[in-house]
Amino acid sequence: MEIKIINKSEHPLPQYETAHAAGMDLRASITEKIVLKPLQRLLVPTGLFIELPIGYEAQIRPRSGLAYKHGISIVNAPGTIDADYRGELKVLLVNLSDTDFSINNGDRIAQMVIAKHETVSWKAVEELNETARGEGGYGHTGKE
């Protein structure tokens, strides 16, 4: 699949780092270092603009290494970029650790997965089919 992209950053286009990777790394496109304080959240620009085909979304997800080593995540993970959005891709990072985290120009800050989705129409009914699970919600299969 080809997707149109404008790259206003000085960094290479997002790419898959391994042959079977689902996500491509996104890099910070900033003019000076950002220090993300504990529990602070901030939109970090990437310098990228994309044109997704209808029926697709870009999911913006945390990088596992940043999450594990530094407590850096994405507030609304996964963030969704819709097919009709034409603005700059920005990553809503949050520092969940108890120490400052520095972000430099070109740092890999998130990953992007392109995914197909369906558009649904609702059918209002009076009842739903029964299942073995029924109304069992959060924790219903856990030990008591």
Side-chain angles (χ1 to χ4, degrees), residues 19-69:
H20 303 291
M24 298 169 270
D25 287 334
L26 296 177
R27 297 178 182 272
S29 180
I30 53 180
T31 55
E32 51 188 57
K33 177 173 78 171
I34 295 171
V35 176
L36 196 58
K37 302 281 186 194
L39 299 180
Q40 182 183 9
R41 59 190 180 275
L42 184 69
L43 276 172
V44 180
T46 66
L48 301 174
F49 302 74
I50 61 176
E51 183 180 321
L52 291 168
I54 295 170
Y56 288 83
E57 66 166 326
Q59 298 175 358
I60 310 302
R61 300 179 181 189
R63 293 192 67 237
S64 57
L66 289 182
Y68 176 67
K69 295 174 186 172

Side-chain angles (χ1 to χ4, degrees), residues 7-21:
N7 185 1
K8 293 187 178 181
S9 80
E10 59 191 53
H11 311 298
L13 292 176
Q15 62 186 19
Y16 299 102
E17 296 297 326
T18 63
H20 303 291

Side-chain angles (χ1 to χ4, degrees), residues 82-114:
D82 295 310
D84 57 353
Y85 178 68
R86 294 296 181 268
E88 181 179 9
L89 301 184
K90 294 182 181 179
V91 179
L92 184 52
L93 291 181
V94 62
N95 183 350
L96 299 175
S97 78
D98 57 359
T99 58
D100 291 354
F101 179 76
S102 294
I103 303 166
N104 297 294
N105 186 39
D107 283 354
R108 295 179 300 161
I109 56 170
Q111 58 181 328
M112 177 172 60
V113 173
I114 305 300

